[in-house]
Amino acid sequence: MDTVFYLNAFSALLVSAVWLYYLRNLDIFEPEKWSDILLVFAMGIFTPQLVYLSHHLYLDALFNQSPRGHWEVLVHSVFVIGFVEEYSKFIPVIIIFIFKRKVINESIDILLYSSASAIGFAAFENVMYFQLYGFELFLWRSLLCVMGHMADTALIGYGLVLFIYKKPRNKWLTLFKYFAFAAIAHGLYDFFLLTDLPSPLGFLLSLGSYLVMIEMWSVMVNICLNNSPFYTVDLKINPSRIQRLLF
């Protein structure tokens, strides 16, 4: 492997470290252990292999891999990209939930682990994109793409939060509904970029869908923090510290 690859890998991991540190700073009442966060992140790095496996097993046979026209691109974006990537990214959360259930003792933990897995997935993607298209994508991939992955997967995580803590009448339907929301949101973001909409309409629609998801992610985080069993008015998120960290 050449020097460029190592630089790209280091850059992707550095971006991931910043986002992971940011995430843990949001978990103010009962912070998760770094070992558990990094375990989920590491599993997230390998989740793109599940996407490739899904292509090999059934996607390439079921869907046109060179879609043409708005409808085909939309179906491809939601099912081939959104659906597959979201269930792949959520598998590490399921693993931690099954085998280390005790570490999840407040609802924010589920959103944190969902986001950590998504950061791992994005890290792998970032290395790939830096290798293919160069380092000029650094800012775009570091901010929009990483946070977009986090928000989409956290939406499934919020479905699991409702499944566990809210216990709705149709809890399995609720979980599936939030998974579908995540796949559709992910798919629409890609659809607006991939389809041949007049410039700059595609970019603006994609950016708009991204901003909606970021707002939803913020709302979900606030709801989970406010409903933590460890909640205390003495602890508050320091916005200036978060701002200094990211900017």
Side-chain angles (χ1 to χ4, degrees):
M1 296 184 182
D2 56 16
T3 304
V4 174
F5 171 81
Y6 289 112
L7 288 174
N8 289 335
F10 174 78
S11 300
L13 290 174
L14 181 62
V15 169
S16 300
V18 172
W19 280 112
L20 290 171
Y21 187 70
Y22 164 73
L23 273 181
R24 194 171 184 274
N25 273 270
L26 295 179
D27 190 15
I28 56 176
F29 299 123
E30 200 271 333
E32 297 303 286
K33 293 180 180 179
W34 271 113
S35 58
D36 294 325
I37 296 172
L38 293 176
L39 173 63
V40 175
F41 168 73
M43 288 191 288
I45 291 177
F46 290 96
T47 53
Q49 306 306 317
L50 298 175
V51 176
Y52 301 142
L53 181 62
S54 297
H55 275 274
H56 178 73
L57 292 178
Y58 67 92
L59 285 177
D60 291 347
L62 292 178
F63 295 96
N64 179 9
Q65 299 305 307
S66 299
R68 297 179 180 178
H70 294 332
W71 176 248
E72 281 193 8
V73 174
L74 178 61
V75 171
H76 184 273
S77 298
V78 171
F79 291 99
V80 179
I81 300 176
F83 178 85
V84 177
E85 289 193 5
E86 291 311 319
Y87 80 63
S88 298
K89 287 187 291 177
F90 201 65
I91 286 178
V93 183
I94 296 174
I95 292 174
I96 204 81
F97 181 77
I98 292 174
F99 295 102
K100 299 196 72 173
R101 178 67 178 86
K102 291 182 179 180
V103 305
I104 299 177
N105 51 14
E106 54 178 342
S107 55
I108 190 64
D109 296 343
I110 297 176
L111 295 193
L112 187 151
Y113 289 124
S114 300
S115 299
S117 176
I119 293 171
F121 184 98
F124 183 96
E125 271 197 344
N126 284 345
V127 175
M128 180 181 69
Y129 277 100
F130 294 161
Q131 286 288 103
L132 291 174
Y133 303 110
F135 206 64
E136 58 267 20
L137 293 179
F138 180 81
L139 188 60
W140 175 277
R141 295 292 314 175
S142 300
L143 295 178
L144 270 69
C145 295
V146 176
M147 190 65 208
H149 275 301
M150 288 166 54
D152 289 334
T153 311
L155 194 55
I156 311 175
Y158 192 71
L160 183 59
V161 167
L162 297 178
F163 183 97
I164 296 171
Y165 296 99
K166 188 74 173 179
K167 295 182 173 62
R169 180 177 301 177
N170 297 315
K171 59 182 183 179
W172 287 104
L173 179 61
T174 298
L175 184 59
F176 176 78
K177 181 170 65 176
Y178 276 84
F179 170 72
F181 287 163
I184 292 170
H186 189 150
L188 285 177
Y189 173 84
D190 285 342
F191 169 72
F192 293 137
L193 289 178
L194 294 173
T195 194
D196 55 347
L197 294 174
S199 178
L201 180 60
F203 169 77
L204 292 177
L205 287 173
S206 184
L207 181 62
S209 67
Y210 165 83
L211 293 176
V212 169
M213 287 305 301
I214 299 310
E215 178 64 22
M216 291 183 66
W217 184 83
S218 300
V219 170
M220 291 185 296
V221 167
N222 281 323
I223 291 174
C224 289
L225 285 173
N226 290 333
N227 287 276
S228 171
F230 306 101
Y231 178 85
T232 171
V233 294
D234 297 328
L235 290 176
K236 294 181 181 179
I237 294 174
N238 186 338
S240 60
R241 181 184 179 187
I242 298 295
Q243 187 177 17
R244 287 196 302 271
L245 172 65
L246 291 179
F247 302 104

